[in-house]
Amino acid sequence: MATTLVRPRTLTEPAPPAHKAPALRHLGPNWYAPVMGTAIVAGAGAALPYQLPGQRVACQLVWALSAAALAVVLAARAGHWLHHRDQARAHLLDPAVAPFYGCLSMALLSVGGATLTVGKDLIGTGSAVAADAVLFAAGTAIGLVMAVAVPYLMVVRHQVEPQQATPVWLLPLVAPMVSAAVGPLLIPHLAPGQPREALLLACYAMFGISLLATLLMLPLILGRLIVGGPLPLALTPTLFLVLGPLGQSTTAVNQLADVAPQAIGAPYADALGAFAVVYGVPVMGFALLWLTLAVCLLVRAARAGMGFSMTWWALTFPVGTCVTGAAGLARHTGLTALAWLAAALFLALLTAWLLAAAHTLRGLASGRLLAPAGAADRP
């Protein structure tokens, strides 16, 4: 959702021995971003109010791709920790890289959510529920740990200054919001009564954790832009990360409102249904405002010569959350305008995903994206 997505900086050091898997040495936690960006295409496509012939099948294929990508990246990152622990620790102590550790949680959660909404068509509902339960539990636990651990490291170990503030700082704070958005999918599969109510309220608690933390961080990011000027060209796409907590929180309140009647008493269920619209509409309005600003700055950066980097994946997952948020609002209000908004945002998401995926595959084939940072930055 990295610099989201910027390749981690590499310390000056001798090349590792061949048996130490050198190809994995510079593979940082930002590589979970393509997994997130792919899974959200499947989930958002299935959530759209308008469904074209073959659309569901296409979403199934994209979900299968995201699941395969998650398995590959998990294995590669395990190899990174096994063979290059010094580099992995250096990533945690690097304020430009550490926030990307929140992407692991979101990759697990997004694939899990897509499994239950789309993958069930291929593997069956029972298997999809089991897979999502495992991914949700692991992703939520990791997300909550990173929401504390990364800010803690920024306070006590990292040396950061106000001008270093970027939307990447939001990554570990958004992970609990993703849990709040995908958790409702599991509620109908729990036993009625306490289990359903407990998960419902836990999701609202995680909604609050992420929302309040984001509200504290956003002024630092906006202040940095106004006082310090535009971000460096390669980091400009990370401006779209701000859409993540906005779109995901709107998605969360609408998803929770859908299942509230099955989990909690009538007065509260009705109130939560109203809250989904009362909260979601203003937040979606602000998301569109920020999207316009981010697009203007992205066009400026492109005209100034911005080339491809892994930050381009920041154009996918955050926009996808706005698709699901707008679709949820369309579902609860019945407004055609919101349904069209969701469709338009999905087209933008699909375009960004195709561009990012094509450039990533080309970078992997050439070896550029797995080279040391200095080499990867060369054209």
Side-chain angles (χ1 to χ4, degrees):
M1 239 219 222
T3 292
T4 176
L5 318 184
V6 156
R7 295 189 69 263
R9 295 201 298 265
T10 304
L11 302 179
T12 302
E13 55 193 329
H19 69 280
K20 288 295 186 180
L24 300 180
R25 183 162 185 79
H26 308 291
L27 189 141
N30 57 315
W31 276 91
Y32 288 111
V35 178
M36 298 159 51
T38 302
I40 198 67
V41 171
L48 284 177
Y50 304 110
Q51 295 290 314
L52 301 176
Q55 184 171 324
R56 184 77 179 183
V57 174
C59 291
Q60 293 167 6
L61 295 175
V62 175
W63 163 77
L65 178 61
S66 71
L70 176 62
V72 170
V73 177
L74 283 174
R77 286 289 298 159
H80 177 83
W81 272 94
L82 179 64
H83 297 295
H84 306 289
R85 294 180 185 174
D86 60 325
Q87 187 77 346
R89 294 192 199 96
H91 288 167
L92 279 172
L93 297 178
D94 187 339
V97 180
F100 286 104
Y101 274 85
C103 291
L104 167 57
S105 167
M106 292 186 280
L108 295 171
L109 292 165
S110 57
V111 172
T115 300
L116 196 48
T117 56
V118 177
K120 66 180 181 181
D121 298 345
L122 300 178
I123 65 175
T125 300
S127 297
V129 171
D132 186 30
V134 172
L135 293 172
F136 175 76
T140 297
I142 293 170
L144 291 173
V145 169
M146 291 304 166
V148 176
V150 174
Y152 174 82
L153 288 173
M154 293 179 72
V155 171
V156 303
R157 297 296 299 273
H158 299 165
Q159 295 182 354
V160 296
E161 298 179 0
Q163 63 267 28
Q164 293 176 295
T166 72
V168 173
W169 288 7
L170 292 171
L171 287 172
L173 305 179
V174 178
M177 189 67 79
V178 182
S179 292
V182 303
L185 298 173
L186 288 169
I187 288 178
H189 302 282
L190 296 176
Q194 291 278 328
R196 291 185 179 183
E197 184 176 353
L199 182 54
L200 180 80
L201 296 183
C203 288
Y204 273 109
M206 289 185 286
F207 167 86
I209 289 171
S210 183
L211 177 63
L212 295 177
T214 297
L215 291 177
L216 292 174
M217 191 67 75
L218 275 178
L220 296 177
I221 296 168
L222 182 59
R224 151 66 183 85
L225 290 173
I226 293 176
V227 175
L231 295 175
L233 296 183
L235 294 182
T236 301
T238 66
L239 291 169
F240 285 76
L241 292 178
V242 175
L243 298 175
L246 303 175
Q248 198 67 280
S249 63
T250 303
T251 301
V253 292
N254 281 277
Q255 295 279 67
L256 288 164
D258 288 338
V259 298
Q262 306 174 44
I264 201 167
Y268 297 107
D270 293 341
L272 295 176
F275 177 68
V277 176
V278 172
Y279 171 88
V281 172
V283 171
M284 184 57 62
F286 179 69
L288 293 176
L289 170 66
W290 188 273
L291 175 62
T292 304
L293 173 63
V295 168
C296 291
L297 290 170
L298 185 68
V299 170
R300 175 186 177 277
R303 296 178 66 179
M306 178 189 71
F308 173 74
S309 68
M310 288 293 285
T311 56
W312 281 32
W313 283 101
L315 306 176
T316 58
F317 187 80
V319 175
T321 67
C322 292
V323 175
T324 54
L329 287 173
R331 187 169 65 251
H332 284 104
T333 63
L335 280 179
T336 303
L338 288 170
W340 279 105
L341 174 62
L345 289 172
F346 181 75
L347 291 177
L349 164 65
L350 191 58
T351 301
W353 179 77
L354 289 171
L355 287 172
H359 282 283
T360 299
L361 289 175
R362 186 167 63 181
L364 284 173
S366 67
R368 173 178 174 265
L369 292 180
L370 293 179
D377 291 337
R378 292 195 296 266

